[in-house]
């Protein structure tokens, strides 16, 4: 299962950009082979981060993972860009998110088997510190 599709990438980044970064033969069209290879490479890179936390392949693709996949795919298509390039910046942000998911400090909202995590309709209340007392004149 691909985490993102050609259609997702066209919607997010536009036809003109995808032609620019995939069309190695100057055919004025998206090269599907180049694009599909980048999608596959992005999925493999993402799976490296997810494999320690989730059973792969995931049965569903959470929206946040689709966004991550689009930015990682785009980065692979652009190739060698400088660190301050917007494509590199977005890629770096997505890698940080994947690192947080791998560490368990962020979640895709799925259980370890990849199914949507069960939520309860309860609220937990814990004792905490009240820092407002002295400042409000109480």
């Amino acid at each position: 299962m691909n985490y993102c599709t050609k259609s997702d990438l066209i919607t997010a980044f536009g036809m003109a950009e995808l032609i620019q970064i995939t069309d190695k033969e100057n055919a004025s069209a998206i090269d599907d082979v180049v694009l599909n290879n980048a999608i596959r490479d992005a999925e493999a890179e993402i799976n490296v981060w997810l494999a320690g936390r989730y059973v792969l392949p995931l049965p569903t693709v959470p929206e946040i993972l689709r966004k991550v996949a689009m930015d990682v795919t785009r980065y692979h298509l652009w190739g060698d860009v400088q660190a301050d390039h917007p494509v590199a910046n977005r890629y770096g942000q997505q890698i940080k998110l994947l690192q947080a998911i791998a560490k368990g400090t962020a979640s895709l909202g799925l259980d370890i088997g990849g199914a949507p995590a069960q939520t309860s309709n309860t609220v937990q209340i814990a004792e905490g510190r009240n820092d407002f007392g002295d400042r409000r004149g109480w």
Side-chain angles (χ1 to χ4, degrees):
M1 165 192 310
N2 290 332
Y3 295 142
C4 70
T5 65
K6 177 181 178 179
S7 178
D8 292 333
L9 294 164
I10 291 171
T11 300
F13 307 122
M15 180 75 74
E17 180 178 331
L18 290 175
I19 290 170
Q20 175 190 355
I21 58 181
T22 65
D23 183 15
K24 310 301 181 197
E25 303 297 323
N26 295 321
S28 299
I30 295 172
D31 185 327
D32 286 334
V33 172
V34 172
L35 184 66
N36 290 332
N37 285 339
I39 290 171
R40 186 192 68 239
D41 291 346
E43 183 176 341
E45 183 174 356
I46 291 166
N47 283 344
V48 167
W49 295 102
L50 299 182
R53 256 273 159 235
Y54 299 100
V55 175
L56 300 175
L58 297 174
T60 61
V61 179
E63 183 62 27
I64 190 66
L65 189 57
R66 188 179 66 79
K67 183 179 180 334
V68 169
M70 289 189 301
D71 285 338
V72 173
T73 299
R74 185 183 191 204
Y75 178 79
H76 284 279
L77 287 168
W78 271 90
D80 191 24
V81 294
Q82 294 183 357
D84 62 345
H85 191 280
V87 170
N89 287 333
R90 287 177 71 157
Y91 172 78
Q93 291 170 352
Q94 301 302 3
I95 294 302
K96 287 179 183 176
L97 176 59
L98 290 170
Q99 289 171 338
I101 291 168
K103 289 179 186 174
T105 58
S107 171
L108 291 176
L110 304 173
D111 66 17
I112 59 170
Q118 296 295 319
T119 58
S120 62
N121 291 327
T122 61
V123 176
Q124 292 183 353
I125 300 174
E127 281 190 44
R129 224 170 82 176
N130 181 351
D131 288 334
F132 302 109
D134 292 336
R135 285 187 242 157
R136 293 185 180 177
W138 295 339

